[in-house]
Amino acid sequence: MRYLIILFFLLWFGFSGFSQYTISGKITNENNQPLTGSHIHTKYISVASDPIGEFELKGLPKGELRVFISYIGYATKDTLISLTSDVVLNVQLKPLATTLNEVTVKQEVDKTSKTSTSHQVKKEAIERASTQSLADALKEVSGVSLLKTGSTIVKPIINGLHSSRVPVISNQVRLEDQQWGTEHAPNFDINAAGRISVIKGASGLQYGGDAVGGLVVIEPLILAKDTLFGKTIISGVSNGRGGAISTSLYKGNQEGWRWNALTTYKYFGDREAPNYVLSNTGNRELNFSGTLSYSKNNYELSAFYSFYNAEIGILSAAHIGNVTDLYNSIQNQQPYVIDDFTYAIKSPKQAVQHHVLKLNYNQKLDESSSISTFYALQFNHREEFDLRRGDNSNKAALDLELATHTMQSDYKKEWEKLELKAGVNGMFQNNFANPKTGVRPLIPTYVRFDAGLYGIGSYEINEKLTLESGLRYDFSTIEATKYYLKSRWDERGYDADFASIIVGESGNQWLTKPSFTFHNISGSMGLRYDFGTDWKWFNNLSLSNRNPNPSEFFSDGLHHSSGQVELGDLRLNKETSLKFSSSLVKKWTDFSMEINPYVHQITNYMFLKPIGFETTIRGAFPVWEFQQTDARLVGIDFNSQWNINKNWLHRFSAAYVKGQDVDANQPLIDMPPLTISNTIQFKKPEWNQLILEIQSESVFRQSRYPDFNFTTNIVENGELVPVEVDVSTPPKEYQLFHFYSEMKFKTFQKADSSIAFSVQNMFNTTYRDYLNRQRFFVDEMGRNIQIQLKFNY
């Protein structure tokens, strides 16, 4: 570690001197004939090749430089050059043709901001996570943690914030899928992602003004014309004794038509901790997505459809019949239910279906301007099943249908140094809570309407300095139809403030029509300064506003899939966030690093607080209540990569966030602890592209936490005895080791394959994660061995 620290400071203060270099060469076709007029460009200068195919780029600075070479009818060449002296670059372009072994694939990048850094998840990491979730793939980004409900329901935390504070944008469409729940993972098949970017901070104004925590932007693969290829990934895992298969096919032709299709199937049984089975934690998935598009020189039409279908078991040990057993389970650190391994998924469980249909039209107005318009329909059906008897045993206890209609139009105009983007969007959403469940729904029927408009401008003052600013206005209104138990209504003290929303009465319940309207202004200002090509400095100040989501407003009762009672509050106000983030990025030939400190002030920060136990006809459950406070989050992320030599590579990342409840002068609940990751990788291309990798993941104990312990009564020797329930103390620190290996083979003339072997939690370590909602009941998963076969054809 000492040598890394010394190297870090040497590189930190070692600014490279500025030099000017030249790239020259010749562009030819497959027959070595010169391609006159080929276009060669970099970020600094562009030229055309002369009549004999030669070109020259002068006055280029030292460092890494991307060079693009294109000619009509030929595949574009994209190459990265490290300039430490003059370079001769002779390139032979290949014609676009329908072949299987020479495919040109490009990824459409919608850069949300030029003055804040985005972090890309590598294609290799996406493929490794083929059997897992979107959040599992994001974990490799420093500053991203995981919020879990057991071992199968995972969602991302960015710099300490999660759920509706971190919108997920898939193919330009914001996923609307009951994302308010802490145990509701994004309804997305990781295998459908071509590129994933993590944006830390509210810099994506075109997607909304409420991205308090950040954005996850997922982009599909975009094909060049006249291509045909496919990919199949088959995975088998030991923990859960199951596996997955995902296969996709992509086709494009010279006439402008392109299509692709992907399907994924996953099947797993109970997961296992090192010492026992995690009963009822199996899951199933059957997913499909496909795109059809037609493009000409100045426009493109496309249609996209995806279907996500999952059944997820909920840990049996999280649903307990009485307060005494619940208390003993938490105190003794032993699960209340341990059954033999099975593939069966019993109640409690979730069943989720999510449909997305998108129609898109892009029009190029001229060489420097374009307009894009799309309509998207999303339909999400969520069922949550509790332990019920008799005729209700197979009936969902919560049945929600969420339909969302979205329209958005974006205009973009570019000048030599100025770029402007503006847009308008509208969204209509209807949530239907099926009353036939026989249970008062946790989330009621509601109607919501949103409208917004934004403008973003960036100006390149010179080659080193770029300024950017944006402004957005959002209007939102929501109206619900909800029954409240009269006892709960009085307990919450609603009569004094909300008597006017009572519109009816049914026995011991009030029928209410709560309605809320919000007007929000969001904005951002940023600056990027390039110190030559070695150092880049990004600064961003962003203002965002997030309205309370339906869960925070209306929750009232047992959340069946999480095994806890949740109480919303009609008095909640919108969150207002002000965040300053600064990133310093340095890239040498063999070493790169990024350091990202930030300060985040949030007024009316909403959080779930444990307040006690409640006994229902179903059993005893912990009670969590939504409350508000003013909060401050201060943190820092760091990551580096060192190419030690042509065979060895070292990656390092660390993330720390300090969350403070300013009003109560105490730490915030559920803040990620300090996390450090070290990865050593060995590559030997001559040995069938061999990769061997060891990763160490160190998670420290969270020493800053609020004391939300409470007192309850349990039965001992036939008498009620008051006891303190410790729901606050975080578990101890832990360190995990993971292994990954891969080799590639040429199986046929136009196809190749690879085999990967990996082990998660190599030493079968027993531990509990502070950010797992089920840490009160069971340990985390033990060792997991995976074998993965990948075929490209």
Side-chain angles (χ1 to χ4, degrees):
M1 189 66 185
R2 183 182 303 171
Y3 74 90
L4 282 177
I5 296 173
I6 294 172
L7 180 60
F8 171 80
F9 281 104
L10 286 174
L11 295 176
W12 180 273
F13 293 108
F15 285 88
S16 299
F18 180 80
S19 302
Q20 291 188 334
Y21 300 106
T22 298
I23 299 176
S24 60
K26 186 174 182 178
I27 312 301
T28 60
N29 63 15
E30 72 279 13
N31 298 317
N32 288 321
Q33 297 171 332
L35 291 177
T36 303
S38 297
H39 185 66
I40 305 98
H41 76 272
T42 70
K43 64 179 291 187
Y44 300 106
I45 189 174
S46 62
V47 298
S49 61
D50 63 19
I52 61 172
E54 294 182 348
F55 71 94
E56 190 174 59
L57 299 168
K58 295 182 177 180
L60 300 173
K62 178 183 178 181
E64 288 189 345
L65 184 66
R66 193 172 294 278
V67 179
F68 300 89
I69 303 171
S70 59
Y71 190 83
I72 295 175
Y74 288 78
T76 298
K77 181 73 172 180
D78 174 3
T79 186
L80 189 65
I81 295 175
S82 179
L83 276 177
T84 56
S85 61
D86 293 344
V87 172
V88 176
L89 181 64
N90 295 319
V91 175
Q92 186 180 79
L93 296 182
K94 297 180 179 181
L96 289 170
T98 306
T99 63
L100 290 176
N101 60 336
E102 303 228 354
V103 176
T104 302
V105 181
K106 60 180 182 179
Q107 294 174 326
E108 186 174 280
V109 180
D110 186 8
K111 180 75 168 142
T112 62
S113 174
K114 293 186 176 182
T115 58
S116 62
T117 56
S118 64
H119 300 263
Q120 278 73 47
V121 178
K122 298 177 182 178
K123 184 188 76 170
E124 293 80 6
I126 295 174
E127 292 182 348
R128 291 186 193 184
S130 178
T131 62
Q132 299 175 297
S133 68
L134 171 65
D136 289 300
L138 299 177
K139 191 179 178 183
E140 74 163 26
V141 177
S142 63
V144 176
S145 308
L146 303 181
L147 181 68
K148 303 178 183 178
T149 301
S151 53
T152 55
I153 302 174
V154 188
K155 61 197 310 178
I157 303 175
I158 300 179
N159 292 154
L161 302 175
H162 58 82
S163 301
S164 55
R165 297 186 182 95
V166 181
V168 176
I169 313 298
S170 175
N171 196 9
Q172 296 181 301
V173 178
R174 177 172 175 149
L175 291 184
E176 297 286 345
D177 54 359
Q178 308 284 7
Q179 65 271 30
W180 40 262
T182 56
E183 84 308 344
H184 297 171
N187 298 159
F188 178 80
D189 178 10
I190 184 65
N191 295 283
R195 175 190 178 99
I196 305 175
S197 301
V198 175
I199 315 295
K200 301 174 185 176
S203 58
L205 291 178
Q206 62 265 47
Y207 299 120
D210 60 347
V212 176
L215 287 168
V216 176
V217 180
I218 306 167
E219 296 158 318
L221 283 175
I222 305 298
L223 297 182
K225 294 179 181 179
D226 209 13
T227 61
L228 172 63
F229 75 98
K231 178 173 69 174
T232 297
I233 301 177
I234 303 173
S235 306
V237 301
S238 63
N239 203 324
R241 307 182 196 180
I245 180 170
S246 178
T247 188
S248 56
L249 190 63
Y250 301 81
K251 178 70 174 75
N253 63 35
Q254 290 283 19
E255 286 70 37
W257 288 99
R258 297 182 297 193
W259 61 265
N260 66 70
L262 177 142
T263 186
T264 300
Y265 178 64
K266 301 179 182 180
Y267 188 94
F268 297 95
D270 290 339
R271 272 48 175 208
E272 298 176 55
N275 300 311
Y276 45 78
V277 173
L278 302 171
S279 299
N280 201 45
T281 55
N283 68 295
R284 316 273 189 270
E285 281 187 30
L286 180 59
N287 310 318
F288 171 82
S289 63
T291 303
L292 176 65
S293 66
Y294 177 75
S295 62
K296 281 296 185 182
N297 293 332
N298 61 346
Y299 73 91
E300 180 180 27
L301 287 166
S302 65
F304 167 81
Y305 171 73
S306 72
F307 173 59
Y308 175 89
N309 182 34
E311 184 180 15
I312 306 168
I314 304 298
L315 180 75
S316 297
H319 286 240
I320 300 176
N322 59 72
V323 171
T324 301
D325 290 339
L326 179 57
Y327 169 77
N328 288 333
S329 178
I330 294 175
Q331 292 299 116
N332 298 334
Q333 298 283 286
Q334 287 293 320
Y336 182 73
V337 178
I338 301 177
D339 294 325
D340 292 335
F341 173 89
T342 179
Y343 288 101
I345 300 177
K346 303 173 291 184
S347 296
K349 65 180 181 179
Q350 298 180 2
V352 183
Q353 295 181 337
H354 189 76
H355 302 261
V356 180
L357 173 65
K358 178 194 174 189
L359 303 175
N360 192 85
Y361 176 71
N362 295 326
Q363 176 69 54
K364 186 176 180 181
L365 303 177
D366 53 43
E367 290 300 319
S368 62
S369 62
S370 62
I371 190 168
S372 173
T373 301
F374 74 82
Y375 163 77
L377 167 65
Q378 298 181 72
F379 181 76
N380 184 271
H381 185 201
R382 166 173 286 271
E383 294 177 293
E384 299 187 357
F385 295 83
D386 200 357
L387 295 171
R388 308 177 79 179
R389 295 177 175 84
D391 295 337
N392 293 326
S393 58
N394 295 316
K395 183 184 293 185
L398 181 68
D399 187 347
L400 302 177
E401 295 180 354
L402 182 70
T404 306
H405 303 264
T406 306
M407 286 200 69
Q408 182 163 323
S409 186
D410 300 285
Y411 172 77
K412 186 176 180 180
K413 175 70 174 179
E414 296 180 353
W415 290 269
E416 183 178 355
K417 293 188 175 183
L418 178 65
E419 179 180 313
L420 294 177
K421 180 184 278 190
V424 60
N425 74 283
M427 187 269 282
F428 175 78
Q429 188 175 81
N430 178 72
N431 184 67
F432 173 69
N434 190 346
K436 295 182 180 180
T437 61
V439 178
R440 281 189 311 113
L442 177 73
I443 301 298
T445 294
Y446 66 83
V447 174
R448 175 183 163 194
F449 173 74
D450 291 354
L453 55 91
Y454 74 91
I456 302 172
S458 63
Y459 181 68
E460 185 178 316
I461 297 176
N462 53 47
E463 292 182 352
K464 294 184 177 182
L465 182 61
T466 299
L467 299 178
E468 182 179 51
S469 65
L471 192 64
R472 182 181 178 96
Y473 166 74
D474 285 289
F475 168 81
S476 181
T477 181
I478 183 171
E479 181 178 297
T481 301
K482 178 171 176 58
Y483 282 95
Y484 278 96
L485 287 173
K486 293 180 180 178
S487 58
R488 183 80 78 190
W489 183 267
D490 294 337
E491 172 192 302
R492 307 297 289 169
Y494 282 160
D495 200 55
D497 298 323
F498 300 105
S500 61
I501 68 173
I502 297 176
V503 296
E505 183 178 5
S506 177
N508 64 344
Q509 299 181 94
W510 294 119
L511 174 61
T512 67
K513 289 270 190 181
S515 177
F516 301 92
T517 298
F518 299 92
H519 300 270
N520 296 331
I521 298 291
S522 305
S524 66
M525 295 185 296
L527 174 151
R528 187 188 75 210
Y529 189 79
D530 296 353
F531 301 90
T533 57
D534 293 331
W535 293 85
K536 296 183 187 296
W537 187 27
F538 298 84
N539 294 277
N540 189 269
L541 178 66
S542 57
L543 170 70
S544 55
N545 291 277
R546 185 182 74 88
N547 306 325
N549 62 41
S551 176
E552 292 159 336
F553 265 144
F554 306 125
S555 288
D556 176 29
L558 179 61
H559 200 164
H560 303 276
S561 66
S562 62
Q564 63 187 33
V565 174
E566 294 180 6
L567 301 177
D569 194 336
L570 296 176
R571 302 183 184 88
L572 294 177
N573 298 308
K574 66 182 179 184
E575 284 183 352
T576 298
S577 159
L578 186 65
K579 181 176 183 179
F580 175 74
S581 176
S582 182
S583 296
L584 192 60
V585 180
K586 175 68 172 172
K587 293 184 179 181
W588 290 269
T589 303
D590 298 320
F591 187 85
S592 62
M593 69 170 192
E594 178 180 344
I595 184 168
N596 171 215
Y598 57 89
V599 179
H600 202 167
Q601 188 77 28
I602 305 177
T603 304
N604 296 324
Y605 173 81
M606 287 171 266
F607 67 100
L608 266 175
K609 176 182 177 179
I611 59 173
F613 285 151
E614 184 171 300
T615 302
T616 72
I617 59 173
R618 261 284 298 111
F621 300 94
V623 180
W624 295 69
E625 178 184 66
F626 283 102
Q627 297 187 4
Q628 283 189 304
T629 188
D630 289 344
R632 182 184 303 114
L633 287 79
V634 179
I636 187 168
D637 302 331
F638 177 82
N639 61 79
S640 66
Q641 179 168 308
W642 180 19
N643 299 311
I644 302 170
N645 56 41
K646 68 176 184 178
N647 300 121
W648 291 94
L649 176 147
H650 174 261
R651 286 193 297 267
F652 174 84
S653 67
Y656 175 74
V657 58
K658 176 183 177 181
Q660 184 72 10
D661 182 334
V662 177
D663 290 347
N665 192 27
Q666 65 182 6
L668 288 175
I669 191 174
D670 291 339
M671 287 291 108
L674 171 64
T675 303
I676 295 176
S677 174
N678 278 282
T679 302
I680 292 288
Q681 184 184 88
F682 173 79
K683 300 176 78 171
K684 192 72 172 178
E686 302 91 328
W687 297 350
N688 294 99
Q689 302 292 323
L690 173 67
I691 296 176
L692 299 174
E693 183 177 290
I694 292 285
Q695 180 187 18
S696 164
E697 179 184 354
S698 302
V699 179
F700 289 67
R701 182 177 179 273
Q702 177 57 277
S703 59
R704 303 188 74 258
Y705 58 93
D707 183 357
F708 290 151
N709 295 344
F710 52 84
T711 300
T712 190
N713 293 318
I714 66 170
V715 178
E716 285 188 359
N717 300 321
E719 296 183 357
L720 288 177
V721 178
V723 293
E724 182 183 61
V725 184
D726 186 358
V727 294
S728 303
T729 304
K732 64 182 181 179
E733 69 282 352
Y734 59 89
Q735 184 173 24
L736 305 178
F737 290 90
H738 314 300
F739 172 77
Y740 179 82
S741 62
E742 181 180 3
M743 294 184 75
K744 296 182 179 180
F745 303 91
K746 195 74 176 178
T747 49
F748 301 101
Q749 181 180 359
K750 297 181 179 180
D752 61 71
S753 61
S754 63
I755 182 169
F757 174 81
S758 61
V759 185
Q760 298 288 309
N761 190 3
M762 290 172 57
F763 301 114
N764 209 26
T765 301
T766 298
Y767 70 101
R768 297 197 178 194
D769 191 332
Y770 178 57
L771 297 175
N772 192 333
R773 289 289 184 184
Q774 293 179 354
R775 66 180 171 87
F776 303 114
F777 310 109
V778 290
D779 296 330
E780 296 287 332
M781 276 178 53
R783 183 187 296 114
N784 187 26
I785 300 171
Q786 175 174 280
I787 297 177
Q788 192 174 72
L789 299 175
K790 292 181 280 188
F791 303 95
N792 294 292
Y793 42 87

